[in-house]
Amino acid sequence: QVQLVESGGGLVQAGGSLRLSCAVSGRTNTFYSMGWFRQAPRKEREFVASINWNGQNTYYADSVKARFTISRDNAKKSVWLQMVDLRPEDTAVYYCAAGSTVPSPSNYNYWGQGTQVTVSS
């Protein structure tokens, strides 16, 4: 079993920045590919970014490309999502997930509880 705990969400003005963290615990002898997803009210959960097990390959949704950066440190058992130039449409609950780099929630085995990001205009 793998446990994921997100942190770093909050309220920020448009144009601002936030850095989300995901702490990985449990069965951590396996380095899973990791992803970030988000879900806004009344919308489906959508892919944001993913990173392979060693950090050499990253993938982004078109809507966040060049604004968000995913990174990881396996020694620290952590994954981060640096978000800059935030927009009101980025407002959502952000989830960390483990198990794949594919941009589909069904491909991920483990999920965190989510952290709220609110961007005011």
Side-chain angles (χ1 to χ4, degrees):
Q1 277 284 22
V2 173
Q3 291 80 44
L4 307 175
V5 178
E6 303 96 333
S7 61
L11 173 63
V12 64
Q13 289 187 331
S17 302
L18 282 174
R19 189 191 196 206
L20 305 184
S21 299
C22 176
V24 183
S25 62
R27 188 181 174 186
T28 56
N29 56 314
T30 298
F31 295 128
Y32 290 92
S33 293
M34 303 289 293
W36 286 96
F37 287 77
R38 66 187 182 187
Q39 188 166 18
R42 298 174 297 281
K43 291 189 176 181
E44 292 187 354
R45 192 167 297 190
E46 66 173 357
F47 171 77
V48 175
S50 62
I51 187 167
N52 77 323
W53 74 274
N54 63 3
Q56 288 191 347
N57 296 305
T58 58
Y59 309 89
Y60 297 94
D62 288 342
S63 59
V64 307
K65 207 170 288 184
R67 298 189 297 123
F68 292 9
T69 303
I70 189 171
S71 61
R72 68 186 298 161
D73 185 329
N74 289 337
K76 294 182 178 179
K77 301 177 183 178
S78 294
V79 180
W80 298 277
L81 185 69
Q82 178 68 50
M83 306 184 293
V84 302
D85 189 24
L86 283 161
R87 305 167 182 172
E89 54 264 38
D90 295 318
T91 295
V93 177
Y94 282 71
Y95 297 92
C96 176
S100 179
T101 57
V102 175
S104 171
S106 61
N107 288 84
Y108 292 76
N109 306 103
Y110 305 100
W111 291 85
Q113 82 289 348
T115 185
Q116 176 71 46
V117 171
T118 304
V119 184
S120 63
S121 56

